[in-house]
Amino acid sequence: MEVIIKPDTHAAARLAARKIAAVIREKPGAVLGLATGRTPVETYERLVELRRTEGLDFSRVTTFNLDEYVGLDPKHPASYHAYMEGVLFSKINLDRGRNYLPDGLSTDVPKTCREYEDRIRAAGGIDIQILGIGSDGHLGFNEPSSSLASRTRIKTLTDRTRKDNAAFFGGEDKVPRHVITMGLGTIMDARVCILMAFGRKKATAVAQAVEGPVTAMVPASILQMHPAAIVLIDDEAASELKRADYYRWVYDHKPAWQKD
Ligand code: F6R
């Protein structure tokens, strides 16, 4: 794991966007794995800016989102379909036939999940996966106790996650209980994973995921087993890491050829 600690969210978002842009420039038909939520918003804003200022070309890019609420209309403002449309898809030059999110309205969820996995495979696998972390350590919507080898499937949200996301729905009771999410095994197949986390509220989950044991009780800890996982966080999210000074030193002294 490479742990990169930036002083604030702006610097972290700029770096994440630069890393995604580098993948697209190197491979114009890249496959991006995307997350929703508060954490990646600024990264998507920076990508939109790179489209505008540098002509970053998304026309051959394919995207797969991590998750979607079950039973929520894609037009519902809190759906992840609507989120992606609003923050990114409508603002860049994507080929609209190549943006995939799980279908929360599916009438055959197991089939939908199988087809999602097939589609990722047929696209050649995910080149770079953007991830956030739940305050309970979830990754995608793989809540604590999720199988570390899981594939795309239905999951039930914890009360804590429903509370964390209540603001988007105007109350906890309105947050759906079920979601379709890529599994931890699906996420681990991505060639590169970037986990982002900002703010004091994420500090415990980040410390458990990075420095604790690999355990299904902290699903994000599975990234310790990933050969190319980057944890990109701000000072506050890093505040419970025991080896924060070491990670800072390593990053500041990377050989020039390794710099991002
Ligand atoms: C979103 C997702 C979740 C979020 C996590 C953090 O697609 O899969 O794992 O990344 O719940 O959410 P925020 O960023 O809102 O704190």
Side-chain angles (χ1 to χ4, degrees):
M1 261 179 168
E2 179 182 17
V3 181
I4 304 176
I5 304 170
K6 289 284 176 185
D8 56 52
T9 56
H10 310 304
R14 269 198 306 275
L15 180 57
R18 270 214 315 276
K19 285 183 178 292
I20 297 165
V23 171
I24 297 171
R25 287 192 178 112
E26 163 110 16
K27 184 178 174 186
V31 179
L32 310 183
L34 302 177
T36 55
R38 302 165 187 88
T39 308
V41 170
E42 196 177 337
T43 298
Y44 296 145
E45 287 170 0
R46 294 290 77 79
L47 285 176
V48 171
E49 190 175 275
L50 287 175
R51 166 77 201 137
R52 203 178 55 242
T53 58
E54 297 178 19
L56 183 63
D57 184 12
F58 293 86
S59 63
R60 291 170 57 197
V61 164
T62 300
T63 65
F64 287 94
N65 265 79
L66 282 167
D67 37 26
E68 181 57 286
Y69 294 100
V70 169
L72 205 61
D73 193 289
K75 294 202 175 63
H76 189 291
S79 79
Y80 289 158
H81 281 77
Y83 169 104
M84 289 311 304
E85 226 17 77
V87 297
L88 188 67
F89 291 171
S90 63
K91 298 180 175 167
I92 54 176
N93 66 325
L94 278 171
D95 170 353
R96 301 316 302 270
R98 283 208 288 254
N99 321 126
Y100 302 102
L101 288 97
D103 175 10
L105 293 182
S106 166
T107 51
D108 186 344
V109 171
K111 181 163 171 265
T112 294
C113 295
R114 270 195 313 275
E115 287 174 354
Y116 205 65
E117 290 277 332
D118 290 346
R119 209 165 258 159
I120 295 173
R121 218 170 296 121
I126 291 170
D127 291 301
I128 184 164
Q129 174 69 57
I130 302 303
L131 296 158
I133 185 170
S135 58
D136 64 359
H138 71 222
L139 197 63
F141 270 143
N142 296 280
E143 296 285 27
S145 82
S146 290
S147 156
L148 298 179
S150 48
R151 312 301 307 187
T152 303
R153 69 209 182 296
I154 193 165
K155 285 297 290 179
T156 307
L157 296 179
T158 59
D159 287 346
R160 179 150 178 200
T161 299
R162 293 180 67 239
K163 198 172 285 174
D164 285 348
N165 288 348
F168 298 110
F169 288 86
E172 196 182 328
D173 53 320
K174 299 201 182 77
V175 182
R177 289 185 180 272
H178 292 109
V179 291
I180 295 176
T181 179
M182 279 187 203
L184 293 171
T186 321
I187 293 168
M188 289 293 284
D189 284 346
R191 291 177 188 98
V192 174
C193 286
I194 302 187
L195 173 73
M196 292 192 286
F198 307 132
R200 186 72 196 77
K201 241 181 89 182
K202 298 292 175 76
T204 303
V206 166
Q208 288 174 338
V210 173
E211 294 180 338
V214 175
T215 165
M217 296 317 290
V218 183
S221 65
I222 189 63
L223 290 176
Q224 292 178 32
M225 307 286 287
H226 194 285
I230 298 165
V231 176
L232 179 51
I233 53 184
D234 64 358
D235 280 336
E236 287 189 4
S239 59
E240 289 185 30
L241 287 171
K242 291 197 180 65
R243 292 172 187 265
D245 289 345
Y246 171 70
Y247 308 135
R248 287 193 177 93
W249 198 93
V250 170
Y251 186 69
D252 291 344
H253 295 84
K254 274 170 94 162
W257 57 268
Q258 250 191 0
K259 290 261 186 216
D260 30 82

